[in-house]
Amino acid sequence: MKNLFLGNGNDKARIIQEMVPGKQISLAHIIASPSPDLYERLGIDPCGAIGIFTVTPKEAAIISADIATKAASVEIGFLDRFTGSLVIYGDVSSVEAASVAILDVLEKMLGFPPAEITRA
């Protein structure tokens, strides 16, 4: 995604976002032992970990959800095919295994550039 900033200094700046064609994993993050408040806000049952992903093209979020649920014992907390967002949850080792599987398949089978999993 590319942000364009428009304005001449006298006007309020406008931001226009446009999608740039290509394959990208812009976020792959695991939260181990999230606070109970986070579970409540996401509307998911407390578990050991939450995995968060954002991918382009957006439809790859559907593929990622399928990979995750087949690779490990995780649940889908949120999937948005319009933004490319995916949230999975389960015990820490399952979320870790599912996350590694997602990145592996996207990179090796679908030609996505490599991405790193960040952790908190």
Side-chain angles (χ1 to χ4, degrees), residues 31 34-44 50 52:
I31 303 172
S35 70
D37 188 45
L38 187 55
Y39 290 119
E40 184 179 332
R41 301 231 182 241
L42 289 172
I44 59 177
I50 297 172
I52 307 164

mmCIF file of all heavy atoms in Angstrom, residues 31 34-44 50 52:
data_model
loop_
_atom_site.group_PDB
_atom_site.id
_atom_site.type_symbol
_atom_site.label_atom_id
_atom_site.label_comp_id
_atom_site.label_asym_id
_atom_site.label_seq_id
_atom_site.Cartn_x
_atom_site.Cartn_y
_atom_site.Cartn_z
ATOM 1 N N ILE A 31 1.280 -12.780 19.836
ATOM 2 C CA ILE A 31 1.186 -12.256 21.198
ATOM 3 C C ILE A 31 0.978 -13.449 22.122
ATOM 4 O O ILE A 31 -0.073 -14.089 22.095
ATOM 5 C CB ILE A 31 0.007 -11.275 21.355
ATOM 6 C CG1 ILE A 31 0.129 -10.112 20.367
ATOM 7 C CG2 ILE A 31 -0.070 -10.771 22.793
ATOM 8 C CD1 ILE A 31 -1.098 -9.218 20.330
ATOM 9 N N PRO A 34 -1.681 -12.929 26.124
ATOM 10 C CA PRO A 34 -2.302 -11.596 26.065
ATOM 11 C C PRO A 34 -3.083 -11.293 27.334
ATOM 12 O O PRO A 34 -3.495 -12.190 28.054
ATOM 13 C CB PRO A 34 -3.262 -11.694 24.880
ATOM 14 C CG PRO A 34 -2.987 -12.979 24.210
ATOM 15 C CD PRO A 34 -2.232 -13.843 25.152
ATOM 16 N N SER A 35 -3.307 -10.016 27.581
ATOM 17 C CA SER A 35 -4.095 -9.633 28.746
ATOM 18 C C SER A 35 -5.545 -10.053 28.531
ATOM 19 O O SER A 35 -6.026 -10.082 27.395
ATOM 20 C CB SER A 35 -4.009 -8.124 28.983
ATOM 21 O OG SER A 35 -4.696 -7.435 27.970
ATOM 22 N N PRO A 36 -6.250 -10.365 29.601
ATOM 23 C CA PRO A 36 -7.654 -10.772 29.483
ATOM 24 C C PRO A 36 -8.519 -9.739 28.761
ATOM 25 O O PRO A 36 -9.448 -10.074 28.048
ATOM 26 C CB PRO A 36 -8.101 -10.950 30.934
ATOM 27 C CG PRO A 36 -6.843 -11.251 31.682
ATOM 28 C CD PRO A 36 -5.766 -10.466 30.985
ATOM 29 N N ASP A 37 -8.176 -8.459 28.924
ATOM 30 C CA ASP A 37 -8.924 -7.388 28.276
ATOM 31 C C ASP A 37 -8.849 -7.509 26.752
ATOM 32 O O ASP A 37 -9.827 -7.227 26.050
ATOM 33 C CB ASP A 37 -8.379 -6.033 28.735
ATOM 34 C CG ASP A 37 -9.239 -4.884 28.255
ATOM 35 O OD1 ASP A 37 -10.481 -4.974 28.367
ATOM 36 O OD2 ASP A 37 -8.668 -3.898 27.747
ATOM 37 N N LEU A 38 -7.720 -7.925 26.242
ATOM 38 C CA LEU A 38 -7.558 -8.076 24.798
ATOM 39 C C LEU A 38 -8.483 -9.167 24.252
ATOM 40 O O LEU A 38 -9.118 -8.989 23.214
ATOM 41 C CB LEU A 38 -6.101 -8.380 24.455
ATOM 42 C CG LEU A 38 -5.743 -8.405 22.976
ATOM 43 C CD1 LEU A 38 -6.124 -7.110 22.278
ATOM 44 C CD2 LEU A 38 -4.246 -8.658 22.828
ATOM 45 N N TYR A 39 -8.569 -10.281 24.968
ATOM 46 C CA TYR A 39 -9.498 -11.345 24.547
ATOM 47 C C TYR A 39 -10.929 -10.816 24.484
ATOM 48 O O TYR A 39 -11.661 -11.079 23.543
ATOM 49 C CB TYR A 39 -9.466 -12.517 25.533
ATOM 50 C CG TYR A 39 -8.207 -13.323 25.513
ATOM 51 C CD1 TYR A 39 -7.422 -13.426 26.651
ATOM 52 C CD2 TYR A 39 -7.805 -14.006 24.367
ATOM 53 C CE1 TYR A 39 -6.271 -14.187 26.652
ATOM 54 C CE2 TYR A 39 -6.652 -14.759 24.363
ATOM 55 C CZ TYR A 39 -5.886 -14.851 25.511
ATOM 56 O OH TYR A 39 -4.753 -15.611 25.504
ATOM 57 N N GLU A 40 -11.301 -10.078 25.525
ATOM 58 C CA GLU A 40 -12.656 -9.550 25.591
ATOM 59 C C GLU A 40 -12.931 -8.597 24.420
ATOM 60 O O GLU A 40 -13.969 -8.670 23.774
ATOM 61 C CB GLU A 40 -12.860 -8.820 26.923
ATOM 62 C CG GLU A 40 -14.272 -8.326 27.117
ATOM 63 C CD GLU A 40 -14.453 -7.636 28.458
ATOM 64 O OE1 GLU A 40 -13.737 -7.973 29.423
ATOM 65 O OE2 GLU A 40 -15.313 -6.742 28.525
ATOM 66 N N ARG A 41 -11.993 -7.727 24.132
ATOM 67 C CA ARG A 41 -12.174 -6.755 23.042
ATOM 68 C C ARG A 41 -12.237 -7.428 21.681
ATOM 69 O O ARG A 41 -12.917 -6.944 20.775
ATOM 70 C CB ARG A 41 -11.062 -5.727 23.060
ATOM 71 C CG ARG A 41 -10.994 -4.974 24.365
ATOM 72 C CD ARG A 41 -10.964 -3.509 24.136
ATOM 73 N NE ARG A 41 -10.843 -2.837 25.425
ATOM 74 C CZ ARG A 41 -11.750 -2.016 25.871
ATOM 75 N NH1 ARG A 41 -12.819 -1.766 25.179
ATOM 76 N NH2 ARG A 41 -11.595 -1.434 27.036
ATOM 77 N N LEU A 42 -11.502 -8.536 21.528
ATOM 78 C CA LEU A 42 -11.541 -9.281 20.263
ATOM 79 C C LEU A 42 -12.732 -10.232 20.180
ATOM 80 O O LEU A 42 -13.043 -10.739 19.113
ATOM 81 C CB LEU A 42 -10.247 -10.076 20.072
ATOM 82 C CG LEU A 42 -8.995 -9.252 19.776
ATOM 83 C CD1 LEU A 42 -7.752 -10.143 19.809
ATOM 84 C CD2 LEU A 42 -9.124 -8.563 18.433
ATOM 85 N N GLY A 43 -13.359 -10.488 21.330
ATOM 86 C CA GLY A 43 -14.510 -11.385 21.355
ATOM 87 C C GLY A 43 -14.130 -12.846 21.175
ATOM 88 O O GLY A 43 -14.875 -13.620 20.578
ATOM 89 N N ILE A 44 -12.944 -13.218 21.682
ATOM 90 C CA ILE A 44 -12.509 -14.615 21.584
ATOM 91 C C ILE A 44 -12.258 -15.172 22.977
ATOM 92 O O ILE A 44 -12.042 -14.427 23.932
ATOM 93 C CB ILE A 44 -11.245 -14.762 20.709
ATOM 94 C CG1 ILE A 44 -10.069 -13.955 21.260
ATOM 95 C CG2 ILE A 44 -11.533 -14.361 19.269
ATOM 96 C CD1 ILE A 44 -8.777 -14.115 20.482
ATOM 97 N N ILE A 50 -2.200 -15.289 20.532
ATOM 98 C CA ILE A 50 -2.943 -14.736 19.399
ATOM 99 C C ILE A 50 -1.935 -14.465 18.288
ATOM 100 O O ILE A 50 -0.856 -13.927 18.541
ATOM 101 C CB ILE A 50 -3.655 -13.424 19.792
ATOM 102 C CG1 ILE A 50 -4.695 -13.684 20.887
ATOM 103 C CG2 ILE A 50 -4.297 -12.776 18.571
ATOM 104 C CD1 ILE A 50 -5.303 -12.416 21.470
ATOM 105 N N ILE A 52 -1.456 -12.540 14.554
ATOM 106 C CA ILE A 52 -2.062 -11.478 13.751
ATOM 107 C C ILE A 52 -1.294 -11.359 12.435
ATOM 108 O O ILE A 52 -0.059 -11.287 12.444
ATOM 109 C CB ILE A 52 -2.007 -10.124 14.489
ATOM 110 C CG1 ILE A 52 -2.615 -10.250 15.887
ATOM 111 C CG2 ILE A 52 -2.702 -9.036 13.684
ATOM 112 C CD1 ILE A 52 -2.272 -9.104 16.797
#
